[in-house]
Amino acid sequence: LREFFDFFLFRANVRECSVFNGSFSCCSCNHLVKGDRGRVARIRCDKSLLAPVLARMYDEKLQALQDAGNDFLFRIFKCMEPAILAGSDFDRQEQACSPSELINDFLF
């Protein structure tokens, strides 16, 4: 539990720490791979494949916390929302940081 709170306090809210701001091997090879016979093929970016999966996992986690009535952890996870998907096509910073979103989600 201590490791979770250390992570939450020092890294979870930092947009630059999002997995989508890291180095992906597909990006480092410019989304091109060479086959056995020297033929070059274009590959999709792993970020675009990972983003919807992580977004769904995050949303399901929030729903599970709400269903369990765990308001404390729900709010902690909501605080991470601007950083979780930062750098992806699913970036939620504007939505998560809007005044109406904050008020609606954090009222008891």
Side-chain angles (χ1 to χ4, degrees):
L1 188 60
R2 181 173 181 228
E3 291 174 3
F4 172 78
F5 285 108
D6 286 345
F7 170 78
F8 173 72
L9 289 172
F10 300 111
R11 299 197 61 184
N13 297 318
V14 179
R15 290 177 54 78
E16 291 78 20
C17 292
S18 168
V19 66
F20 298 103
N21 291 319
S23 299
F24 281 71
S25 58
C26 60
C27 298
S28 67
C29 70
N30 203 25
H31 303 101
L32 300 172
V33 293
K34 192 179 281 190
D36 293 339
R37 298 181 185 184
R39 192 170 174 198
V40 176
R42 180 164 294 283
I43 58 172
R44 288 183 59 187
C45 185
D46 290 339
K47 290 181 185 184
S48 65
L49 298 172
L50 179 61
V53 174
L54 186 56
R56 182 175 174 196
M57 289 173 60
Y58 177 75
D59 291 339
E60 288 180 5
K61 178 65 174 179
L62 288 177
Q63 189 61 54
L65 290 170
Q66 273 191 318
D67 292 348
N70 193 335
D71 294 333
F72 176 72
L73 280 181
F74 174 79
R75 286 174 175 79
I76 286 179
F77 274 82
K78 280 299 283 184
C79 288
M80 293 184 223
E81 189 167 20
I84 292 282
L85 299 165
S88 77
D89 293 338
F90 287 72
D91 195 329
R92 297 180 182 174
Q93 182 176 21
E94 287 185 30
Q95 172 194 342
C97 295
S98 73
S100 61
E101 174 82 9
L102 292 175
I103 292 168
N104 291 335
D105 282 341
F106 285 92
L107 288 177
F108 284 78

